[in-house]
Amino acid sequence: MPSARETLSGSIVPVVVLDDAGVAPDLVAALAAGGIDTVELTLRTPAGLDAIRSVAGSSSVIGAGTVLTVRQVEEVADAGAAFVVSPGFDDEVVQRSLELGLTVLPGIATPTELQRALKTGLRDVKLFPADRLGGLDMIRALSGPFPGVGFMPSGGVSPANARDYLGHPSVFAISGSWMVQRDLIARGDFDEIARLSAEAVALLAGAEA
């Protein structure tokens, strides 16, 4: 199975919270129109699973976010998710994801959690909450004793710091939500979502090291 770095390399991964699964196709289409073709649909609401199911056959790479249990891993796999993202590191969630052939990106916040991730064979992790952990300073600190590890920062990523993050050699993707704000989705302003997505893509053009 592809690693997270292979699946998401150079990507902006929007973190999407949906209250209505029915808008998922329009949302994914708006993101794609703006140049973003990787989407993390979270399980933070009851609509999450149906949303994943409704767009799993699209041309975009659809992942499941806020996956906390083995049962949820199995549900999102059945729904057609291509990758799994968790806010923290759970051995059973990681193992079941790997067994089902899913790319898995667990969250870590400490060197100890990172070592546990490495023991499972993973080389890519989500740093969460990145802003509270020191952002790029934390990534630089971890990159010393853990060379070759890839990070996707999540939490506090914005247009103000996104380019700096993605320009770091250890950062293979960034996770953010500024282009998929919940109020924009609620009022169906997909043109604005497409515009913000295009701005984000333009901002990050050439930022990868």
Side-chain angles (χ1 to χ4, degrees):
M1 79 201 66
S3 68
R5 201 174 321 192
E6 292 168 331
T7 301
L8 307 175
S9 182
S11 297
I12 309 166
V13 183
V15 181
V16 181
V17 180
L18 289 180
D19 298 297
D20 177 6
V23 305
D26 287 337
L27 172 66
V28 169
L31 289 166
I36 296 177
D37 60 3
T38 305
V39 188
E40 176 188 333
L41 296 173
T42 70
L43 302 186
R44 298 180 193 178
T45 68
L49 194 60
D50 285 339
I52 293 167
R53 190 175 290 113
S54 72
V55 293
S58 72
S59 59
S60 294
V61 180
I62 305 299
T66 321
V67 177
L68 305 176
T69 67
V70 168
R71 179 178 178 180
Q72 287 179 327
V73 172
E74 294 168 347
E75 288 174 338
V76 301
D78 288 342
F83 64 94
V84 166
V85 184
S86 298
F89 184 88
D90 183 285
D91 297 271
E92 293 180 348
V93 166
V94 169
Q95 185 59 39
R96 188 58 177 145
S97 297
L98 294 174
E99 289 171 354
L100 293 175
L102 293 169
T103 296
V104 58
L105 193 61
I108 66 99
T110 68
T112 299
E113 292 169 342
L114 180 50
Q115 284 190 224
R116 286 176 59 196
L118 293 174
K119 281 185 178 180
T120 68
L122 299 180
R123 288 296 178 269
D124 306 316
V125 294
K126 166 181 166 179
L127 181 69
F128 179 80
D131 58 339
R132 303 300 181 182
L133 296 170
L136 268 176
D137 285 341
M138 180 64 158
I139 291 171
R140 293 185 187 105
L142 290 173
S143 294
F146 300 104
V149 170
F151 297 92
M152 182 177 79
S154 180
V157 179
S158 72
N161 57 25
R163 188 176 176 87
D164 289 339
Y165 271 125
L166 201 55
H168 191 280
S170 294
V171 174
F172 62 88
I174 58 169
S175 172
S177 58
W178 73 89
M179 73 295 292
V180 286
Q181 298 166 40
R182 209 165 175 176
D183 62 328
L184 291 177
I185 298 171
R187 63 175 184 260
D189 197 347
F190 300 111
D191 287 342
E192 179 65 4
I193 290 170
R195 187 189 69 80
L196 290 170
S197 298
E199 280 189 353
V201 170
L203 172 69
L204 297 174
E208 300 92 330

